[in-house]
Amino acid sequence: MKRLLLVRHAKSSWDYPGLTDFERPLNKRGNRDAPFMGKLLKKMNVIPDLIISSPATRAITTARYFADNMDYPLEKINTNERLYDANPSDIIEVISEIDASVNILMIVSHNPGLTETADQLSGEVIDNIVTSAIFNIDFDTDSWKTINRKNARIGFYEYPKKHL
């Protein structure tokens, strides 16, 4: 079995008009929610074998908050430029390249591509993966190359407002 955790970056700030979209930091709510969600995953005993994040500031900061609160080594977080402004094909391509030894994979990325990827892989219509949310899909396969909606089962969908 392979477990995929699709994480949308935490709420970002629009307070710095001089920054590019790529450079936008998290806002106060994002800085609160991302650590909380990392703690929640640790409490659920769902710790990824690998975290891959978009390199955008708001995404990598979210990934670091999650990792820090799950006791996942920060230096083991990978970034992949294809996850910034990604469509489902980009995200699925990144996932398909993962070694079979990884059983739990966390992808930290952006909408609309993240929600569209969840729709495509799960076979369901997910309205919107909200900021700091974790959408879990489990796949009955031994390889990331063979994940698809036929071997997919939605696991859980956790988001801050459900708990805070």
Side-chain angles (χ1 to χ4, degrees), residues 6-60:
L6 295 173
V7 175
R8 183 172 172 200
H9 65 78
K11 193 77 173 164
S12 61
S13 174
W14 293 90
D15 291 344
Y16 308 96
L19 296 178
T20 65
D21 179 72
F22 189 88
E23 298 169 315
R24 282 192 296 119
L26 299 182
N27 69 11
K28 184 177 177 181
R29 191 171 107 199
N31 284 310
R32 177 199 70 192
D33 291 351
F36 174 82
M37 295 305 288
K39 289 176 190 168
L40 179 66
L41 277 181
K42 183 177 180 181
K43 185 177 176 183
M44 295 169 64
N45 202 29
V46 177
I47 309 299
D49 299 313
L50 179 63
I51 297 174
I52 305 175
S53 176
S54 156
T57 301
R58 61 194 181 277
I60 192 63

Side-chain angles (χ1 to χ4, degrees), residues 113-128:
L114 199 69
T115 297
E116 292 168 357
T117 301
D119 290 348
Q120 187 170 326
L121 289 175
S122 71
E124 299 291 327
V125 177
I126 312 307
D127 183 43
N128 178 39

Side-chain angles (χ1 to χ4, degrees), residues 21-162:
D21 179 72
F22 189 88
E23 298 169 315
R24 282 192 296 119
L26 299 182
N27 69 11
K28 184 177 177 181
R29 191 171 107 199
N31 284 310
R32 177 199 70 192
D33 291 351
F36 174 82
M37 295 305 288
K39 289 176 190 168
L40 179 66
L41 277 181
K42 183 177 180 181
K43 185 177 176 183
M44 295 169 64
N45 202 29
V46 177
I47 309 299
D49 299 313
L50 179 63
I51 297 174
I52 305 175
S53 176
S54 156
T57 301
R58 61 194 181 277
I60 192 63
T61 304
T62 300
R64 288 178 181 141
Y65 272 135
F66 269 74
D68 193 43
N69 286 281
M70 295 183 297
D71 298 326
Y72 180 96
L74 295 176
E75 66 275 6
K76 284 182 62 180
I77 298 171
N78 291 345
T79 59
N80 190 309
E81 293 175 4
R82 291 179 290 169
L83 295 176
Y84 177 70
D85 199 26
N87 62 45
S89 295
D90 297 325
I91 295 171
I92 292 169
E93 184 177 301
V94 169
I95 294 167
S96 72
E97 295 169 358
I98 302 305
D99 188 85
S101 64
V102 172
N103 290 313
I104 303 175
L105 172 65
M106 177 182 285
I107 297 289
V108 183
S109 192
H110 313 264
N111 266 353
L114 199 69
T115 297
E116 292 168 357
T117 301
D119 290 348
Q120 187 170 326
L121 289 175
S122 71
E124 299 291 327
V125 177
I126 312 307
D127 183 43
N128 178 39
I129 296 178
V130 299
T131 54
S132 297
I134 309 154
F135 188 81
N136 162 229
I137 308 171
D138 293 326
F139 298 93
D140 186 18
T141 183
D142 293 328
S143 171
W144 292 103
K145 290 175 181 26
T146 58
I147 63 169
N148 61 64
R149 70 175 54 173
K150 292 178 184 168
N151 59 21
R153 180 178 44 83
I154 296 174
F156 58 82
Y157 178 45
E158 296 291 342
Y159 49 93
K161 285 187 178 178
K162 196 172 173 183

